[in-house]
Amino acid sequence: MRRAFAHEAVVAMDPGEDIRAPGAAVTVALCGHWEHRPPCPLAPHHTDARRSGARVRLRVLFAGEPDAEAGVRARIEQALSGPGLTGPDGVTTRWRLLSARPSAVRAGEAGHAERLVRG
């Protein structure tokens, strides 16, 4: 039975870079492309990005079978470990992964997490 999980990461990005790009890279890693029809084939997910100067904090909520959790987390970290992502406009957004770790789903995320579990 699917469960909800959370993963946090911090990337370094120049202030002018698009903070949506790391989340798009996560979607590519989990779904094959940032534009796809629902549902997400591997793990329904949502990425929140918040900038603080040259650092962007990412929080990925995802749903999956418990035995797939480690693989999903590995894909998230692999996507964020890359040097960046070239968007549909041909512009490449660059970042550098500073940290990444599993996290617990927060009480305030419970409703969103449940929607992801239901798919």
Side-chain angles (χ1 to χ4, degrees):
M1 183 164 174
R2 282 203 296 201
R3 286 188 38 213
F5 303 95
H7 204 80
E8 296 179 347
V10 178
V11 298
M13 292 178 74
D14 288 338
E17 298 281 12
D18 185 351
I19 67 170
R20 299 172 300 173
V26 168
T27 300
V28 170
L30 298 179
C31 303
H33 197 277
W34 58 76
E35 290 181 1
H36 66 88
R37 295 176 63 149
C40 297
L42 179 60
H45 65 283
H46 171 77
T47 303
D48 181 63
R50 311 261 170 144
R51 182 184 297 280
S52 179
R55 292 181 181 227
V56 175
R57 294 189 177 281
L58 302 158
R59 185 157 175 82
V60 182
L61 287 179
F62 66 93
E65 299 294 331
D67 62 345
E69 175 189 3
V72 172
R73 291 186 190 281
R75 284 179 181 233
I76 291 168
E77 290 193 22
Q78 182 179 25
L80 297 174
S81 294
L85 181 75
T86 301
D89 57 2
V91 173
T92 300
T93 300
R94 300 192 185 284
W95 63 81
R96 182 173 45 89
L97 181 63
L98 300 176
S99 65
R101 67 181 180 89
S103 179
V105 175
R106 297 174 183 155
E109 299 169 325
H112 192 168
E114 181 58 31
R115 287 189 299 279
L116 291 172
V117 167
R118 287 190 308 239

